[in-house]
Amino acid sequence: MVDALGVAVVGFGWMGRVHTQAYARVRHHYPQLALRPELVTVAEEVPGRAEEAAAQFGFASTARDWREVAADPRVRAVSITAPNFLHREIGVAMAAAGKHIWIEKPVGLGPEDARAVADAVAEAGVQGAVGFNYRNAPAVEAARELIDSGGIGTVTHVRVRLFSDYAAHPEGALTWRYERERGGSGVLGDLASHGADLARFLLGDIASLTADTAVFLPERARPAGATAGHSRAAGGELGPVENEDYVSCLLRFASGARGVLEACRVSVGEQNNYGFEVHGTRGAVFWDFRRMNEFGVSRGTAYQDQPVSTVYVGPGDGEFGAFQPGAANAMGYDDLKVIEAYRFLRSVAEGAPYGATVGDAVHGAVVLEAMARSAESGSWVTVDGPGAL
Ligand SMILES: NC(=O)c1ccc[n+]([C@@H]2O[C@H](COP(=O)([O-])OP(=O)(O)OC[C@H]3O[C@@H](n4cnc5c(N)ncnc54)[C@H](O)[C@@H]3O)[C@@H](O)[C@H]2O)c1
């Protein structure tokens, strides 16, 4: 028996589109899902954008104000894909209205926002999924299993990198991403949030850290009109970039392992160079998002000159089998969001969380806030447990 579940999307920029496509595709890959998402409504503040989305994807209605979505009894689950400064207000209101939420990272402007959304979700007894999509990659799940099973010995250290050029162009518009009030942090919330989540997913809790941040492009042109994604604005009035372009961070994990996390949004020549190298006493595992469906493994008892193999993920690794019949048939970025949609809807159907939750977002936000504090003080800081908030 498959029940219909009315879903809404709030904010139809890049992520709004990707969530919508994931709802449309999820049952193609997961016919066993006990729920069938129905696109009820899309809320957008830019005139015409919701209507275009409805025409293209078949939402039954549109709204200019997300509060209409909160009050809409047809809607039982909501994707919150608006800019960061709206996450808390919208997330809390949707949960309080009894809607399950699938909210984008980093969940607000800081740990207090993420905590408020997590508390609202817990109080309402709804599900709260979060867009930490990189942990959904089958190769990342396989790497985690290898690490957890002792396949590379005792983990000693990790390097996590997230380099991108999305903000490298001098004409990149001064969108909400570069403002403290609407974006919060810069590359910390945007990319390092994924890195902190991956580090914890693979190696467990981070106990302390020291970080350094920098702004490399201090001014950008204000856009003339509405923006989506990484728009350009040539010749506009210049305004200040208020948050960091770059972060480097040394990590100490609760396990005793050490790590380095580095993220930059203005790295010319780097396109989505996201990945990790995890080292253990008997081996290592390597992953690069740009070659998402494979990972490098060195394991055995040779210690020195130990060969490194490339493993193509296949059915049996994470959710690969829901997408491709055999190894080395490529999955893509949007498929990670289909997996996320599946886990969210399964959580709703079964009343228990699958995949990353708003609780994970609180953990991540605490780590990011510790990085910001350390960058300001220039010293090592302890990462408080999320319960300290
Ligand atoms: N998981 C990922 O890989 C990933 C990638 C990119 C962005 N994100 C996250 O997704 C969120 C959105 O990012 P994006 O790249 O899609 O941004 P975007 O700027 O492309 O889209 C945001 C949309 O929200 C709309 N909006 C703004 N205020 C609104 C309001 N009051 N009501 C309704 N709509 C409103 C904007 O008009 C825009 O269409 C951010 O939190 C970002 O951190 C996650």
Side-chain angles (χ1 to χ4, degrees):
M1 174 66 183
V2 177
D3 290 327
L5 182 86
V7 301
V9 174
V10 176
F12 203 81
W14 179 28
M15 279 302 110
R17 179 174 292 274
V18 175
H19 281 225
T20 304
Q21 287 166 336
Y23 286 128
R25 288 179 51 206
V26 67
R27 287 191 59 78
H28 299 176
H29 297 278
Y30 296 97
Q32 75 274 26
L33 195 58
L35 291 169
R36 180 167 37 82
E38 277 186 1
L39 299 175
V40 169
T41 191
V42 51
E44 238 302 330
E45 69 160 14
V46 173
R49 206 172 266 181
E51 289 71 18
E52 271 174 38
Q56 185 178 359
F57 292 100
F59 289 96
S61 58
T62 62
R64 273 296 276 285
D65 188 338
W66 59 264
R67 289 168 193 82
E68 290 174 39
V69 178
D72 190 333
R74 297 171 302 166
V75 174
R76 290 174 54 208
V78 182
S79 278
I80 301 169
T81 48
N84 300 351
F85 75 102
L86 292 166
H87 290 175
R88 178 179 184 156
E89 193 185 3
I90 300 177
V92 169
M94 293 301 174
K99 322 282 188 207
H100 304 282
I101 63 170
W102 174 15
I103 186 166
E104 266 309 327
K105 42 64 51 177
V107 186
L109 303 177
E112 289 76 17
D113 285 1
R115 168 56 75 194
V117 175
D119 285 350
V121 161
E123 256 165 55
V126 294
Q127 298 299 321
V130 171
F132 287 132
N133 29 258
Y134 298 109
R135 58 154 83 181
N136 298 330
V140 173
E141 295 203 64
R144 188 199 203 200
E145 265 180 39
L146 181 71
I147 293 165
D148 286 354
S149 67
I152 60 167
T154 302
V155 173
T156 51
H157 61 286
V158 61
R159 286 204 309 172
V160 182
R161 65 181 190 285
L162 300 111
F163 295 126
S164 176
D165 61 1
Y166 71 76
H169 202 287
E171 290 175 3
L174 190 67
T175 65
W176 60 266
R177 280 195 158 80
Y178 306 93
E179 292 173 12
R180 286 267 166 216
E181 206 174 301
R182 293 194 295 163
S185 60
V187 78
L188 281 172
D190 221 24
L191 295 182
S193 55
H194 285 297
D197 184 66
L198 279 178
R200 180 167 160 263
F201 187 67
L202 295 167
L203 271 74
D205 285 337
I206 295 163
S208 60
L209 56 81
T210 184
D212 185 30
T213 59
V215 179
F216 295 131
L217 295 183
E219 285 189 322
R220 292 176 182 276
R222 295 188 194 282
T227 62
H230 307 295
S231 307
R232 297 266 174 91
E237 178 208 346
L238 291 178
V241 169
E242 295 172 352
N243 50 32
E244 72 292 333
D245 291 324
Y246 172 85
V247 60
S248 58
C249 181
L250 300 181
L251 304 164
R252 287 181 186 155
F253 291 84
S255 66
R258 299 297 202 262
V260 178
L261 186 153
E262 194 180 10
C264 185
R265 63 186 178 187
V266 298
S267 297
V268 174
E270 299 282 15
Q271 291 99 32
N272 296 339
N273 181 359
Y274 309 155
F276 55 75
E277 297 129 46
V278 182
H279 296 269
T281 49
R282 282 188 289 108
V285 54
F286 312 95
W287 181 70
D288 182 333
F289 168 66
R290 297 165 299 179
R291 304 178 69 90
M292 187 178 98
N293 301 295
E294 64 188 61
F295 61 109
V297 183
S298 179
R299 58 188 302 196
T301 51
Y303 297 99
Q304 263 185 312
D305 303 329
Q306 182 164 279
V308 181
S309 323
T310 297
V311 177
Y312 296 109
V313 286
D317 291 316
E319 294 294 324
F320 189 85
F323 293 83
Q324 297 293 354
N329 290 301
M331 287 173 62
Y333 173 87
D334 285 8
D335 295 331
L336 303 182
K337 286 303 204 195
V338 175
I339 295 170
E340 213 164 84
Y342 163 64
R343 290 180 169 158
F344 172 50
L345 296 171
R346 184 176 173 194
S347 306
V348 172
E350 299 183 15
Y354 291 92
T357 65
V358 285
D360 294 312
V362 177
H363 273 278
V366 167
V367 170
L368 299 177
E369 193 267 339
M371 288 185 195
R373 247 186 316 130
S374 169
E376 205 162 307
S377 68
S379 50
W380 279 87
V381 299
T382 302
V383 178
D384 298 325
L389 283 178

